[in-house]
Amino acid sequence: METGEENTRKEETVKLISAEGFEFVIDKKAAMVSQTIRNMLTSPGGFAETQHGQVTFPEISTPILEKICQYFYWSLEYSRLPSFPL
């Protein structure tokens, strides 16, 4: 039986699954860096990705998906820094 805290954690995370079946559980904020994933998770119509909070990528290998996840966190952290003139 899930507690309220476990359910809240599930809503704040997204599971990305590689072609080999490896699962990456990342923060939903980080996943939303990708417009494609954002559309998959927020689109109306009762799609499986929206209901279960997971996205399967049958064409993306585990090492590549790992780098993509790293990029999501990097972008979340550094893309909003102010730019300075050189």
Side-chain angles (χ1 to χ4, degrees), residues 1 8 14-15 19-20 23 25 27 30 33 35 41-42 44 51 56 59 61 63 67 70 73-74 77 81-84:
M1 186 168 178
T8 301
V14 175
K15 188 185 298 183
E20 296 85 7
E23 299 176 351
V25 179
D27 293 328
V33 166
Q35 188 64 44
L41 295 173
T42 60
Q51 293 175 352
T56 303
E59 301 291 324
S61 67
K67 286 295 180 189
Q70 290 172 355
Y73 281 103
W74 179 89
E77 181 79 21
L81 291 177
S83 60
F84 298 100

Side-chain angles (χ1 to χ4, degrees), residues 11-75:
E11 291 176 5
E12 294 174 357
T13 60
V14 175
K15 188 185 298 183
L16 305 181
I17 305 171
S18 71
E20 296 85 7
F22 194 88
E23 299 176 351
F24 294 90
V25 179
I26 65 172
D27 293 328
K28 193 170 187 176
K29 275 183 172 178
M32 294 299 192
V33 166
S34 165
Q35 188 64 44
T36 301
I37 294 174
R38 180 190 317 244
N39 290 340
M40 291 173 149
L41 295 173
T42 60
S43 62
F47 293 106
E49 291 88 358
T50 305
Q51 293 175 352
H52 302 294
Q54 67 183 36
V55 182
T56 303
F57 296 97
E59 301 291 324
I60 301 178
S61 67
T62 299
I64 300 300
L65 190 55
E66 181 180 17
K67 286 295 180 189
I68 291 169
C69 292
Q70 290 172 355
Y71 169 76
F72 290 162
Y73 281 103
W74 179 89
S75 180

